[in-house]
Amino acid sequence: IRAYWMERAKSQESFQEKFEENTKFRTQEAISADAIESQFVKNESRYYVEVGQIDCPTGQIVIADPLAYLPSRQFSPVLAESVPAGTYSVDVSICRQQEIGLRMCTARLKIKDSKVVTYKRATATKETAIQLKDGGTLEGFPVDAGMICFCDAEVAEEYRKFIDKWYAENAGGNHYDDYFAAYFAESYEKMPAYQREGGDFIEWTNPDTENRMIMIASGFGDGFYNSYYGYDGDGELCEIIVPMVNPDIWGC
């Protein structure tokens, strides 16, 4: 019995060390382009899938928790560097490992097809950045509902109007349990090999405007996440990513 509990304690300690290392990986100032590129491969433990597309009428990108914060504008920063108006694809790298199960690793918004050579932590506009008590700002965004999203700033406003209208018509309801859960369940049924039961990602079309946004499960769930600009060899923005899990740390 003693040996069992000693082994279990070692396992828990190892997990905590890896978890802390993973947190440092996804919050550093700059991330290795090679480390991200290596996630978007397919082998026995790594995969990636295209989740869908987002519509960007303004080109101002919002990355936030779509369930806990986006409806109220709280902690939903607009990125300072915009992209040309248009439609963009979003994919996500995925790993499967015995210790952590199946996890979403890095969500990626593709702006151009050119190769990223540098990733730098993204900044928010002054008006939407998270303000600190000392007068400074905090880059990134919190997650309290286990989900992140990519959308345009105008589409975010449309989403808020939809949620307000939904609650007006569904008093006492819950916008995840009573509405979005069905979309995630449908996604799982279509691609069960790449998601946990219940679903980990969707492309959602606002029925009132036909504009689309993407929602993806946030790695290890709740916490604080950062987004990063990806620049090609000409210094042009070609990707925006949210790193969540580094499969190298977990032996994937």
Side-chain angles (χ1 to χ4, degrees), residues 23-94:
T23 300
K24 291 178 181 178
F25 169 79
R26 61 178 175 79
T27 55
Q28 57 191 314
E29 184 66 30
I31 288 184
S32 162
D34 290 339
I36 298 300
E37 183 179 16
S38 69
Q39 293 188 22
F40 289 87
V41 298
K42 293 187 178 182
N43 57 33
E44 292 182 356
S45 60
R46 299 190 188 193
Y47 325 87
Y48 68 92
V49 296
E50 182 176 322
V51 179
Q53 296 183 318
I54 67 170
D55 297 304
C56 297
T58 71
Q60 294 180 294
I61 303 299
V62 176
I63 305 176
D65 183 325
L67 303 176
Y69 295 120
L70 190 62
S72 65
R73 297 187 183 86
Q74 186 181 26
F75 304 137
S76 300
V78 178
L79 298 191
E81 190 165 347
S82 60
V83 303
T87 297
Y88 299 100
S89 296
V90 175
D91 52 10
V92 62
S93 60
I94 304 163

Side-chain angles (χ1 to χ4, degrees), residues 2-3 6 10 41 45 61 75 77 131 134 151 172 240:
R2 183 172 179 271
M6 288 181 66
K10 287 182 181 179
V41 298
S45 60
I61 303 299
F75 304 137
Q131 302 297 318
D134 63 4
C151 65
I240 300 174

Side-chain angles (χ1 to χ4, degrees), residues 26-27 44 80 85 90 123 131 158 161 170 180 186 188 194 226 229 233 237 245:
R26 61 178 175 79
T27 55
E44 292 182 356
V90 175
T123 57
Q131 302 297 318
E158 296 170 352
K161 292 178 181 178
N170 298 272
F180 284 110
E186 181 181 1
Y188 174 75
Y194 301 104
N226 287 275
Y229 300 128
L237 181 65
V245 174

Side-chain angles (χ1 to χ4, degrees), residues 29-178:
E29 184 66 30
I31 288 184
S32 162
D34 290 339
I36 298 300
E37 183 179 16
S38 69
Q39 293 188 22
F40 289 87
V41 298
K42 293 187 178 182
N43 57 33
E44 292 182 356
S45 60
R46 299 190 188 193
Y47 325 87
Y48 68 92
V49 296
E50 182 176 322
V51 179
Q53 296 183 318
I54 67 170
D55 297 304
C56 297
T58 71
Q60 294 180 294
I61 303 299
V62 176
I63 305 176
D65 183 325
L67 303 176
Y69 295 120
L70 190 62
S72 65
R73 297 187 183 86
Q74 186 181 26
F75 304 137
S76 300
V78 178
L79 298 191
E81 190 165 347
S82 60
V83 303
T87 297
Y88 299 100
S89 296
V90 175
D91 52 10
V92 62
S93 60
I94 304 163
C95 74
R96 187 190 300 273
Q97 194 258 2
Q98 184 175 1
E99 189 174 11
I100 60 174
L102 188 150
R103 298 286 171 175
M104 303 294 108
C105 294
T106 294
R108 179 173 66 177
L109 175 65
K110 293 289 293 180
I111 310 301
K112 296 175 57 180
D113 288 334
S114 51
K115 179 181 174 65
V116 172
V117 298
T118 303
Y119 285 109
K120 294 182 179 180
R121 192 161 57 195
T123 57
T125 62
K126 182 179 180 180
E127 297 78 14
T128 64
I130 298 174
Q131 302 297 318
L132 300 175
K133 291 182 178 180
D134 63 4
T137 58
L138 182 63
E139 303 301 343
F141 59 97
V143 169
D144 281 319
M147 200 71 59
I148 70 166
C149 74
F150 288 99
C151 65
D152 183 89
E154 183 176 309
V155 177
E157 288 296 330
E158 296 170 352
Y159 173 76
R160 292 172 185 126
K161 292 178 181 178
F162 171 84
I163 294 295
D164 287 344
K165 185 179 75 171
W166 187 88
Y167 272 106
E169 297 172 352
N170 298 272
N174 177 281
H175 60 291
Y176 179 77
D177 293 337
D178 302 322

